[in-house]
């Protein structure tokens, strides 16, 4: 699924439509029929990690808009007609926050905890959007087929949701899950692209006796971080993905957090400057030093197994790491 920088870009694309009324809808969504958004007013847009939230209200009168999370990193950019193309991500990577976690993304306004059902008439509506493998948003244009599908035809992708506004402008959402949500409450301390990102909390999480490549994908501490950022940050920090955090020095852990923030920020800024993202290890056969790259699906027992690329020369295993310790950590 698209990672933090991509969803931040999506937020930038939809923000100019805040304050406008939805005059017509379309799309293939079955769980949340597009018609339920007909005539609603688009009031606010917020991004939390890998999720995008859109607020709709039946009345034109607007509440105070939320802060623009992009303002921390970039200035006002020119609205592009087309969102990013397919990101070479590898599917779901989030680990759902456990009860009592330090970073809570959502606070429900009712006790039912139900999602996906339309709120009562006259109530504000928050639409939660989770993007899939090739999720994207297009502005005033539709995605076109770039190659034949498995059936051999050139059918264009079908948008999950289309929102039309006055003047003929529209937003098209592709490859995403839509559901009504409680009002989102931002907790920037776990957002890797926030100025309020809590380094101490992140370092404490990384110091656990488990492979750091598992911890990096934990959205409770690294909201917005996905498989691409994981691979690139570990390579730049010269840390083996299966290194136990408890055996790494504080300087190694500090460097890893630095690389997470730097790569994520550079990636986002590159999107606004029209530059491609620069990868050194992800999906590579050789590292920049010319060494053969290893690739393997890694993940905790019973959890997500994510393809991981690393260089055995540039990212050596720690000498004090014993196979038995690693095996025990994977079983926790």
């Amino acid at each position: 699924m698209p990672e933090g920088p991509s969803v931040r870009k999506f937020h930038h694309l939809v923000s100019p439509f805040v304050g406008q009324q939805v005059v017509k809808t379309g799309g293939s969504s079955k769980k949340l029929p597009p018609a339920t958004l007909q005539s609603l007013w688009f009031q606010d847009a917020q991004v939390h990690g890998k999720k995008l939230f859109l607020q709709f209200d039946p009345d034109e009168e607007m509440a105070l808009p939320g802060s623009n999370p992009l303002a921390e990193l970039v200035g006002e950019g020119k609205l592009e007609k087309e969102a990013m193309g397919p990101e070479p991500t590898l599917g779901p990577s989030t680990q759902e926050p456990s009860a009592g976690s330090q970073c809570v993304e959502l606070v429900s306004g009712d006790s039912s905890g139900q999602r996906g059902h339309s709120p009562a008439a006259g109530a504000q509506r928050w639409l939660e959007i989770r993007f899939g493998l090739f999720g994207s948003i297009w502005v005033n244009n539709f995605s076109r087929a770039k190659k034949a599908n498995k059936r051999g035809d050139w059918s264009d992708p079908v948008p999950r949701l289309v929102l039309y506004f006055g003047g003929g402008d529209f937003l098209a959402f592709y490859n995403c899950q839509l559901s009504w949500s409680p009002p989102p409450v931002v907790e920037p301390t776990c957002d890797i692209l926030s100025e309020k990102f809590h380094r101490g909390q992140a370092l404490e999480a990384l110091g656990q006796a488990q492979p750091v490549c598992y911890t990096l994908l934990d959205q409770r501490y690294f909201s917005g971080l996905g498989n691409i950022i994981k691979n690139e940050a570990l390579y730049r920090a010269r840390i083996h993905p299966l290194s136990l955090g408890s055996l790494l020095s504080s300087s190694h852990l500090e460097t890893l957090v630095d690389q997470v923030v730097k790569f994520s920020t550079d990636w986002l800024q590159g999107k606004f400057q029209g530059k491609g993202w620069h990868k050194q290890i992800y999906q590579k056969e050789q590292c920049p030093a010319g060494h053969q790259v290893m690739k393997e699906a890694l993940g905790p027992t019973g959890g997500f197994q994510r393809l991981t690329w690393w260089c055995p020369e540039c990212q050596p295993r720690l000498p004090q790491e014993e196979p038995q310790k690693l095996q025990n950590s994977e079983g926790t």
Side-chain angles (χ1 to χ4, degrees):
M1 63 192 301
E3 302 183 28
S6 298
V7 182
R8 293 258 181 158
K9 179 67 180 294
F10 294 161
H11 174 270
H12 181 74
L13 291 173
V14 304
S15 292
F17 293 85
V18 169
Q20 298 189 41
Q21 186 178 29
V22 178
V23 298
K24 187 172 68 171
T25 62
S28 64
S29 175
K30 303 297 184 184
K31 180 179 179 181
L32 192 154
T36 59
L37 292 123
Q38 182 77 34
S39 302
L40 297 181
W41 291 83
F42 179 21
Q43 302 285 46
D44 194 11
Q46 295 186 20
V47 56
H48 301 295
K50 300 178 183 180
K51 302 175 186 177
L52 182 66
F53 293 87
L54 308 182
Q55 180 191 359
F56 294 89
D57 194 285
D59 300 320
E60 181 178 1
E61 182 179 352
M62 295 181 63
L64 291 175
S67 60
N68 186 346
L70 287 168
E72 303 171 356
L73 298 171
V74 294
E76 290 296 326
K78 181 179 179 181
L79 177 63
E80 297 182 4
K81 290 296 183 181
E82 176 182 326
M84 291 77 67
E87 297 281 357
T89 50
L90 298 171
S93 64
T94 56
Q95 298 179 9
E96 291 299 326
S98 61
S101 64
Q102 297 181 39
C103 177
V104 180
E105 288 190 348
L106 298 172
V107 175
S108 177
D110 59 49
S111 58
S112 66
Q114 295 292 320
R115 287 172 174 266
H117 301 289
S118 180
Q124 292 182 345
R125 296 159 167 85
W126 279 95
L127 180 64
E128 177 182 327
I129 305 176
R130 297 191 181 199
F131 295 93
L133 182 60
F134 298 117
S136 63
I137 297 177
W138 291 63
V139 180
N140 296 338
N141 205 347
F142 291 106
S143 176
R144 303 300 179 187
K146 297 180 175 62
K147 61 180 180 180
N149 58 28
K150 294 180 179 179
R151 298 187 300 273
D153 62 52
W154 285 73
S155 299
D156 291 331
V158 178
R160 192 63 51 86
L161 173 68
V162 184
L163 300 178
Y164 295 89
F165 302 91
D169 293 331
F170 65 90
L171 293 168
F173 301 78
Y174 289 87
N175 194 5
C176 57
Q177 295 181 350
L178 309 170
S179 62
W180 293 116
S181 164
V185 176
V186 64
E187 180 49 76
T189 59
C190 65
D191 191 329
I192 59 175
L193 285 169
S194 171
E195 288 183 345
K196 297 180 180 179
F197 176 61
H198 198 301
R199 291 178 57 89
Q201 178 177 291
L203 289 167
E204 182 179 356
L206 284 172
Q208 301 176 73
Q210 71 172 359
V212 288
C213 70
Y214 302 176
T215 308
L216 285 174
L217 294 178
D218 192 329
Q219 300 299 293
R220 294 174 297 176
Y221 309 106
F222 298 95
S223 180
L225 192 151
N227 206 38
I228 296 175
I229 299 174
K230 178 200 76 177
N231 283 276
E232 292 297 324
L234 284 169
Y235 177 75
R236 286 162 167 78
R238 299 298 189 261
I239 295 175
H240 193 285
L242 290 177
S243 292
L244 301 183
S246 57
L247 298 180
L248 289 170
S249 67
S250 58
S251 61
H252 275 97
L253 296 178
E254 289 276 2
T255 299
L256 180 54
V257 173
D258 288 341
Q259 293 300 330
V260 164
V261 174
K262 184 179 187 307
F263 179 79
S264 304
T265 303
D266 289 347
W267 187 5
L268 177 60
Q269 291 178 339
K271 287 181 178 295
F272 282 87
Q273 296 168 1
K275 299 178 181 178
W277 53 288
H278 178 59
K279 57 182 181 178
Q280 296 184 10
I281 197 74
Y282 180 74
Q283 294 185 332
K284 297 286 189 178
E285 295 184 358
Q286 291 185 335
C287 76
H291 304 135
Q292 184 68 31
V293 168
M294 300 291 292
K295 179 181 73 171
E296 187 177 351
L298 302 176
T301 302
F304 290 121
Q305 304 293 309
R306 306 306 311 280
L307 279 177
T308 304
W309 287 260
W310 77 94
C311 173
E313 299 293 328
C314 300
Q315 299 166 264
R317 292 290 292 274
L318 295 175
Q320 65 266 43
E321 286 186 308
E322 300 174 9
Q324 184 61 40
K325 288 185 178 180
L326 180 59
Q327 182 178 356
N328 290 339
S329 73
E330 292 181 350
T332 57

